[in-house]
Amino acid sequence: MVLTVVVPAAVAFVFVAIAAYVGALRALEVYFDPNQDSVFLTDDRDPPQRP
């Protein structure tokens, strides 16, 4: 009974953690070096402009 709740919760947690990690990497990559080729972003858009 416990496994039917714990295993799906653990799998969901792992997927959310991976998505958060990839999102953080993407945000840091864009923030620190918008002019370099990105692993995550395509070249179809312009890099963000900073003041």
Side-chain angles (χ1 to χ4, degrees):
M1 181 69 179
V2 174
L3 287 178
T4 60
V5 175
V6 173
V7 172
V11 170
F13 177 79
V14 168
F15 279 116
V16 169
I18 290 171
Y21 179 72
V22 169
L25 286 178
R26 180 177 175 182
L28 288 171
E29 180 182 40
V30 169
Y31 180 77
F32 283 113
D33 201 359
N35 296 323
Q36 189 176 10
D37 288 341
S38 173
V39 174
F40 297 102
L41 303 175
T42 64
D43 293 332
D44 296 338
R45 68 178 190 93
D46 295 330
Q49 300 297 320
R50 291 197 204 135

